[in-house]
Amino acid sequence: MLRIAVVGSGPSGCYTAQSLVQQDPDALVDVLDRLPCPYGLVRYGVAPDHEKIKSLQNNLRTVLEHERVRFLGGVQIGPGGVPTTRLRDLYHAVVYCVGAATDRHLGVPGEDLPGSWSATEFVSWYSAHPDSVDDGFVLGARSAVVIGIGNVAVDVTRMLARGTAELSPTDMPQAALTALGASRVTEVSMVGRRGPSQARFTTKELRELGTLPDTAVSVDPAELALDPAYADPSGLPAPQRRNIEALRAWAEAPPQDARHRIRLRFFLRPVELLAEAGRVSAVRFERTAPDGRGAVTGTGRYEDIEAQLVLRSVGYRGVPLEGLPFDTTTGTVPHSEGRVLREGRVAPGEYVAGWIKRGPTGVIGTNRPCAKETVTSLLEDAAVLVRREVAQDPLTALRAEGVEPVEWPGWCAIERAEAELGASLGRGVVKLPDWESLLGAAHHNAL
Ligand code: NAP
């Protein structure tokens, strides 16, 4: 009987656990997470107003409630916690599903000025991530620049344009709701270094910007026309063609008056963040031109866009985990069909799935086939893996070493506490935003 540890309880971890118990009728799976709460980016990354995507938590829940799956939250793997080598001793196999925990950097002067944040920091704040700090993101700002044109950029742009009435029914923490409700940001420019036909956002997310109350979306037709595919998008793949058509509709629409304005900008690459009185005041961009091969070149012409708030939304990046090999170029763990490779050779018993395996791309559903491939490899290796003696029950061994995981009843207690908090505020469920309240709820109210 295989005992397997899955590290990370986001979509890739849950789909890995699901695939394991479905494909092996005896496998026992522990899903460990650093946080006391499961679901990874579904809880701490999907925007709070995307209730339908968030409801995926219900599917992931059935995995973690499976009789041969245990959720062990609040367990740090690596430095300061359980070493990866110890985990290998306790289980026949370990599958790392740790995602891409940090963000890419722009590498331009002024990037770290007060008022400039990574989109991840902003998302973590309004998603109540317990490591997030309330840095007064929107305080004192009138104009914001979002750098990047992927779906995260669209998320943060949309959140900046939403008002209290739309945000209050979400599970957003109360402090973020109050701050965003009082926000005086009325101008948001979302800026891409390449053209509309190379944008990474998906059409559904793009179009949603046009449905926001009291918000006008503007696109400059002359800027769109810099993209040769704008005049004739017929050669583009369907997703890009649909993006172009959505942008064309805004470009051709008569100007609109609204409290919030979202400007979608293209062919501008950030070269510097400018400061006034020690805070960011504008972003300097260089106008780019398509090079005919999908990339762009600089033109030596510059434009400053005013911003007291800058959100850098240029993608996530994997973080090396002590004891595991890491490819610094791709930010992933080298692998062959999910089997970890050490110096080009398979490391028996170690596997990866999700973003740490293939990089931070794709939608939540992409993790399903990715997890399945890894589990297929693992089960092919089962006959060898099972020969190794492991702990009778890894949880007993971990407890003996002073590890006190938040188990499923602890998580359910957090859920109850969040429902109670929401009721006391006249809202639905409201997330607990810090370690103290999460662990307090988990340890004191677990049944
Ligand atoms: P992304 O899709 O990789 O987009 C990153 C953006 O940053 C691109 O526009 C990229 O431009 C730009 N960029 C990168 N380096 C830059 C630089 N140095 N200067 C200026 N721009 C730069 O990443 P993401 O938005 O973080 O999304 C990550 C994944 O999560 C994606 O697969 C996304 O679809 C998914 N996601 C999905 C949803 C949803 O389905 N609702 C919501 C959020 C996230 P280039 O193309 O020119 O490199």
Side-chain angles (χ1 to χ4, degrees):
M1 183 184 59
L2 278 176
R3 275 199 175 276
I4 299 144
V6 173
V7 182
S9 66
S12 62
C14 287
Y15 290 140
T16 298
Q18 183 175 46
S19 206
L20 280 166
V21 291
Q22 277 174 353
Q23 291 188 56
D24 179 333
D26 300 315
L28 296 176
V29 183
D30 285 345
V31 180
L32 301 111
D33 203 294
R34 183 174 83 79
L35 297 176
C37 311
Y39 312 136
L41 275 186
V42 178
R43 179 172 162 93
Y44 289 117
V46 172
D49 62 337
H50 273 177
E51 274 109 8
K52 194 156 168 234
I53 309 181
K54 278 217 167 292
S55 70
L56 260 173
Q57 290 186 4
N58 300 330
N59 302 12
L60 304 184
R61 175 181 205 101
T62 61
V63 177
L64 296 178
E65 286 182 334
H66 188 281
E67 57 185 0
R68 285 184 286 121
V69 176
R70 277 191 304 207
F71 170 68
L72 304 178
V75 182
Q76 169 85 36
I77 306 300
V82 181
T84 49
T85 46
R86 179 69 186 129
L87 207 56
R88 285 286 296 114
D89 290 344
L90 292 173
Y91 294 88
H92 292 114
V94 182
V95 189
Y96 294 95
C97 303
V98 292
T102 189
D103 32 72
R104 284 205 214 118
H105 288 269
L106 283 177
V108 301
E111 178 163 12
D112 296 321
L113 277 170
S116 160
W117 283 280
S118 71
T120 320
E121 288 169 301
F122 187 59
V123 170
S124 293
W125 168 66
Y126 66 59
S127 303
H129 193 292
D131 287 342
S132 138
V133 275
D134 185 348
D135 267 321
F137 294 90
V138 289
L139 202 66
R142 300 176 309 279
S143 313
V145 163
V146 177
I147 300 173
I149 47 173
N151 277 333
V152 171
V154 176
D155 276 348
V156 297
T157 297
R158 196 179 65 251
M159 294 304 287
L160 285 171
R162 286 226 187 264
T164 310
E166 301 144 72
L167 295 176
S168 182
T170 73
D171 63 6
M172 167 181 282
Q174 190 65 14
L177 174 68
T178 308
L180 287 175
S183 161
R184 296 175 63 199
V185 174
T186 51
E187 278 285 314
V188 186
S189 301
M190 190 175 105
V191 189
R193 61 180 171 179
R194 297 194 289 161
S197 65
Q198 287 105 26
R200 302 278 186 96
F201 45 59
T202 41
T203 313
K204 185 163 169 274
E205 277 61 32
L206 175 66
R207 285 204 182 116
E208 193 182 358
L209 294 177
T211 67
L212 303 177
D214 208 4
T215 301
V217 180
S218 56
V219 194
D220 177 358
E223 203 164 62
L224 293 180
L226 297 174
D227 190 333
Y230 182 62
D232 177 16
S234 61
L236 291 175
Q240 280 75 31
R241 202 171 57 238
R242 283 195 291 266
N243 281 348
I244 293 269
E245 294 319 332
L247 292 164
R248 191 190 306 281
W250 282 318
E252 290 174 355
Q256 246 183 300
D257 252 350
R259 177 171 144 69
H260 293 107
R261 180 162 302 277
I262 295 173
R263 293 183 197 280
L264 303 179
R265 305 291 312 268
F266 299 94
F267 293 114
L268 290 171
R269 74 172 169 214
V271 292
E272 186 176 359
L273 274 65
L274 308 176
E276 231 176 67
R279 286 186 64 83
V280 72
S281 60
V283 184
R284 176 157 297 163
F285 290 95
E286 181 180 16
R287 168 67 66 201
T288 60
D291 70 354
R293 294 185 302 276
V296 286
T297 51
T299 62
R301 284 181 287 123
Y302 297 88
E303 175 177 339
D304 295 349
I305 303 181
E306 181 196 322
Q308 300 78 36
L309 168 65
V310 175
L311 297 174
R312 309 176 313 263
S313 183
V314 294
Y316 293 93
R317 196 180 153 71
V319 174
L321 185 60
E322 192 178 60
L324 268 194
F326 189 73
D327 180 337
T328 49
T329 318
T330 57
T332 58
V333 171
H335 73 95
S336 167
E337 293 171 336
R339 294 177 177 96
V340 171
L341 294 176
R342 288 181 184 274
E343 283 156 21
R345 305 170 70 148
V346 165
E350 293 175 305
Y351 303 85
V352 280
W355 278 2
I356 197 64
K357 171 184 173 188
R358 55 173 216 279
T361 57
V363 293
I364 293 169
T366 317
N367 290 298
R368 231 181 229 282
C370 175
K372 199 166 171 208
E373 179 193 63
T374 296
V375 168
T376 303
S377 297
L378 190 156
L379 294 179
E380 277 169 15
D381 302 344
V384 176
L385 298 176
V386 81
R387 274 189 227 142
R388 198 163 54 83
E389 265 305 278
V390 295
Q392 182 77 1
D393 182 2
L395 181 53
T396 311
L398 285 170
R399 284 214 183 98
E401 291 161 26
V403 179
E404 268 310 318
V406 171
E407 294 182 67
W408 196 250
W411 160 243
C412 294
I414 292 174
E415 284 187 312
R416 283 196 303 279
E418 294 190 332
E420 281 161 21
L421 173 63
S424 74
L425 294 165
R427 297 174 57 197
V429 167
V430 172
K431 280 178 173 170
L432 298 174
D434 55 70
W435 281 98
E436 200 185 342
S437 50
L438 287 169
L439 292 178
H443 291 308
H444 300 305
N445 304 324
L447 288 178

